[in-house]
Amino acid sequence: MTALAPAPFASASGVSAPRRSPQARRRRLVSVALLIVVAAATLVLMLPILIIVFTAFKPVAEVNAYPPTLLPGQWTLDNFARIFTELPFARLIANSFVFAGGVTLFALVFDSLAAYALARLDFRGSRLLLIAIIASLMIPFQATLIPIYQLVSDLGWVNSYAGLIAPRAADAFGIFFLRQFFLSLPRDLDNAARIDGASELRIFRSIVLPNAVPALLTLGIFTFVNNWNDLLWPLVFTTDSEMGTVTSGLTLLTGPGGIIPQGVMMAGSLIAVLPLAILFLLIQRRFVESVGTSGLK
């Protein structure tokens, strides 16, 4: 009498292992393919940043070598030392913080006030005013640069923080963006507060702003990054290198014969990126929490 062959996929306990269905295998293959595509896309997006990081640590000979290499053969900190000796880089970083931070602070205050008036108050001419604000978004920034510079020059604000910050203290995009968010908030809260005798300023401060934290954070990040990375505005309104920003200061880097020292430039760019990365890491948790808790009960 012949012995029975063991059942396929049988385990030691006598229970057969479950087989994966074709649909499960197909889903797994799709997930693996998507993971590979996302990893490749991330690598492509990170490649410029990797080039900046590795070039900043290369000596001059390797930066100018051909064919170029990605990883430095010899790591050095000379480029970081040169950026602080050839430029008043610490002052430029401080100017960038004052400029970008000041514009962001004033823009959030003035934009939110204007947006509240357009979204929550009924007054004559509000629709015409909104159309004018939206129409101003279609005007190229370069078209208004010369008139603004003439006004700033007449006020004596060239090479000053006031000349850098004041013309950007309010923004048409920020007003429109916050107005659209304020419209999504129920008006019953406003009406209930008015019945209780609350003023418009109290309603704005105690009801509207706490529920608009996600929109304010979004606009604040956008405004800060946009002004931190801006090159044309500081170049036009500052002629003194001590009043420049990081972006405008990097344009002053020139070597013998007008050759730009790429290693020093990459070191300065890397230092300029770090505050933005740190700011994002500090705010992202607060931003996610505010989005998750912004629902009105």
Side-chain angles (χ1 to χ4, degrees):
M1 187 173 180
T2 59
L4 295 176
F9 304 103
S11 62
S13 60
V15 179
S16 60
R19 296 183 179 181
R20 291 181 177 175
S21 64
Q23 293 81 3
R25 289 196 298 268
R26 191 178 299 110
R27 285 195 296 268
R28 183 175 179 82
L29 290 176
V30 171
S31 300
V32 172
L34 289 176
L35 180 61
I36 294 174
V37 171
V38 171
T42 304
L43 181 61
V44 171
L45 294 175
M46 291 293 296
L47 184 59
I49 299 178
L50 295 177
I51 293 175
I52 292 175
V53 173
F54 293 139
T55 305
F57 290 96
K58 286 183 180 180
V60 178
E62 291 190 26
V63 173
N64 299 327
Y66 185 84
T69 57
L70 180 61
L71 294 175
Q74 179 183 356
W75 296 77
T76 180
L77 296 175
D78 292 342
N79 295 322
F80 294 92
R82 288 180 58 188
I83 193 66
F84 285 95
T85 56
E86 298 184 9
L87 292 175
F89 207 66
R91 177 62 185 270
L92 298 179
I93 294 176
N95 292 341
S96 293
F97 273 111
V98 174
F99 168 54
V103 171
T104 302
L105 179 62
F106 283 108
L108 288 178
V109 173
F110 294 137
D111 291 354
S112 59
L113 287 171
Y116 175 80
L118 292 172
R120 318 296 284 187
L121 302 179
D122 297 324
F123 59 93
R124 182 177 299 178
S126 60
R127 194 167 190 82
L128 182 61
L129 183 59
L130 177 62
I131 293 174
I133 292 174
I134 297 175
S136 67
L137 293 173
M138 305 177 188
I139 302 175
F141 161 70
Q142 294 79 4
T144 61
L145 189 60
I146 294 177
I148 293 176
Y149 177 81
Q150 186 63 49
L151 177 60
V152 170
S153 179
D154 293 340
L155 293 173
W157 288 354
V158 177
N159 289 320
S160 68
Y161 292 131
L164 287 172
I165 297 173
R168 291 194 165 186
D171 180 65
F173 170 78
I175 296 174
F176 178 74
F177 175 79
L178 291 178
R179 173 189 178 272
Q180 296 304 112
F181 188 88
F182 290 164
L183 288 175
S184 65
L185 302 178
R187 285 181 173 269
D188 294 341
L189 298 174
D190 302 16
N191 297 331
R194 290 189 184 96
I195 293 175
D196 292 338
S199 63
E200 294 297 334
L201 184 60
R202 178 67 181 274
I203 295 173
F204 171 74
R205 186 181 68 250
S206 302
I207 297 178
V208 175
L209 286 186
N211 289 291
V213 172
L216 294 173
L217 283 177
T218 302
L219 181 61
I221 293 173
F222 178 82
T223 304
F224 186 89
V225 172
N226 182 50
N227 287 276
W228 180 276
N229 293 329
D230 197 352
L231 172 62
L232 182 59
W233 189 269
L235 279 179
V236 172
F237 290 91
T238 58
T239 57
D240 186 2
S241 60
E242 292 289 333
M243 284 302 301
T245 61
V246 172
T247 52
S248 63
L250 291 177
T251 62
L252 302 176
L253 285 174
T254 54
I259 300 176
I260 299 175
Q262 298 294 335
V264 182
M265 180 73 73
M266 294 302 103
S269 300
L270 181 59
I271 296 175
V273 169
L274 287 178
L276 299 181
I278 295 173
L279 177 65
F280 176 76
L281 292 176
L282 294 176
I283 291 182
Q284 66 168 349
R285 181 177 181 180
R286 172 60 177 163
F287 178 77
V288 173
E289 289 178 353
S290 62
V291 172
T293 59
S294 61
L296 299 177
K297 296 181 180 179

